[in-house]
Amino acid sequence: MHGTFDMAILSRLRFKQLALVASLEVTTNLHESARELNLSQPGATKLLKEVEETLGVTLFERQSRGMKATAYGVVVARHARQIISETGRLKAQLSAMQRGEYGKVRLGAIMEALPGQVSKLLTNLMESSSGPQISLTVSTSDNLIAGLNEGALDFALGRPVEHLDMSGIRFEPLWQEKLAVVAAPGHPLVKMDRLDLKDLDGFSWILQPRPSPMRMSIDLAFARADLPAPHYSLETSSMLMTTVAVGESDLLAVLPQSVATYYSNSGLIRILPVQLEEHMSRYGLLIPNKDEFGPEVEALVSLVRSLF
């Protein structure tokens, strides 16, 4: 192969040529591939010659038992199959849209992934007639991973969790979330201009259950400050329950910054002026390892990626 490929060369490739290369690598028989693609054998021979001349490489070697793909042929055939597959999925998606069918996506998300851009995305999809139906499950990362492993969710926004089976799930980090310590608007600590973790010692907390990443983060923060783990009166994975209980008591809690800001702006709680070290890992896309997804799932995954 000489020189570098450019778009002018690739633009001369035709769909029928790609289909022939993909088929011929599998069949190793030009007559069989020609019949499969409804071509005459001379027509198939001409197509193969054209694509080899366009790319400037030999794709197949003629042998006594048929045609064997060269190293170039293997690469081109692989990419040809991807192009054909993507074209087929595009056609299926457009046909479904023309019929008014947009499918359904089972999305899981941790609470901190919802405020802001993702919430706006979901709202726009719900108000639009051009998107899939969304079935949303809000929970902790460990529960979402269980849902993915069981096939109950198509994909999720969350974090990997140690000691859980992640072999069938790939993770794409998207966002680093900060944590905030919160209290009721009338809590005595709200009046302070600055606080350290030691100033919070002695108060009772509401905490997420282990092994949620947020619980592990606050425990680690206290341990690194040489302080005992926070004493808690309640464990719950519900951030709504946490917010309501904190707002009506002297209990403290830790929430993702985005969630804490949302409820603080609503006047339900206040964010305390204490800095927490960054122990929270990034959250992102948790996607089952599959060869392919429905077009509605792929479209929504692409939309989520575009937000970050």
Side-chain angles (χ1 to χ4, degrees), residues 20-296:
L20 176 62
V21 173
S23 173
L24 190 53
E25 193 215 7
V26 175
T27 68
T28 69
N29 185 290
L30 189 62
H31 178 72
E32 185 177 339
S33 289
R35 186 174 66 249
E36 183 180 289
L37 298 174
N38 198 28
L39 296 169
S40 66
Q41 184 156 339
T45 300
K46 181 181 178 182
L47 277 181
L48 179 58
K49 181 179 179 181
E50 288 174 350
V51 71
E52 288 183 325
E53 289 179 349
T54 297
L55 296 176
V57 294
T58 299
L59 300 180
F60 293 91
E61 294 176 346
R62 288 158 180 81
Q63 299 181 339
S64 58
R65 293 189 175 183
M67 303 185 71
K68 180 181 178 182
T70 65
Y72 295 124
V74 171
V75 171
V76 174
R78 184 176 71 244
H79 284 281
R81 280 190 290 272
Q82 291 174 349
I83 293 170
I84 293 167
S85 176
E86 288 299 318
T87 303
R89 274 187 267 178
L90 172 61
K91 181 180 178 182
Q93 184 174 7
L94 292 177
S95 296
M97 291 174 68
Q98 288 175 336
R99 295 192 303 269
E101 300 172 3
Y102 299 99
K104 182 176 182 179
V105 178
R106 301 166 302 168
L107 170 64
I110 53 177
M111 182 67 179
E112 57 261 46
L114 297 181
Q117 290 173 308
V118 175
S119 178
K120 292 177 182 177
L121 167 66
L122 296 178
T123 300
N124 289 338
L125 286 174
M126 287 185 289
E127 292 177 345
S128 171
S129 60
S130 61
Q133 292 179 328
I134 308 296
S135 174
L136 177 63
T137 299
V138 181
S139 190
T140 55
S141 293
D142 50 324
N143 288 331
L144 297 179
I145 290 169
L148 291 168
N149 284 329
E150 293 166 4
L153 296 173
D154 292 311
F155 75 100
L157 285 161
R159 294 182 177 85
V161 179
E162 281 188 58
H163 312 305
L164 292 185
D165 181 14
M166 296 285 295
S167 60
I169 301 171
R170 70 178 186 270
F171 174 65
E172 296 180 21
L174 295 176
W175 185 253
Q176 180 78 52
E177 181 69 58
K178 295 182 179 180
L179 293 177
V181 178
V182 298
H187 197 285
L189 292 179
V190 171
K191 299 177 182 179
M192 304 294 291
D193 293 329
R194 184 175 178 181
L195 293 168
D196 294 320
L197 283 181
K198 63 182 179 181
D199 298 318
L200 311 182
D201 191 24
F203 288 94
S204 196
W205 291 67
I206 300 175
L207 297 173
Q208 284 204 343
R210 295 187 180 93
S212 69
M214 194 158 59
R215 173 62 178 275
M216 304 305 288
S217 293
I218 191 65
D219 283 351
L220 183 57
F222 271 73
R224 290 187 175 179
D226 292 324
L227 294 170
H231 173 268
Y232 62 90
S233 300
L234 174 66
E235 281 186 330
T236 177
S237 60
S238 170
M239 293 194 190
L240 177 58
M241 180 67 221
T242 298
T243 303
V244 171
V246 165
E248 298 177 351
S249 69
D250 283 336
L251 298 171
L252 302 180
V254 60
L255 292 173
Q257 184 73 44
S258 57
V259 177
T261 299
Y262 177 83
Y263 285 121
S264 178
N265 290 340
S266 300
L268 299 176
I269 56 175
R270 292 289 181 267
I271 298 175
L272 297 182
V274 57
Q275 295 294 320
L276 288 177
E277 293 183 38
E278 297 293 341
H279 298 306
M280 286 286 281
S281 60
R282 288 178 178 268
Y283 75 75
L285 288 165
L286 295 166
I287 307 175
N289 289 324
K290 291 184 178 180
D291 292 334
E292 61 180 58
F293 296 89
E296 64 281 353

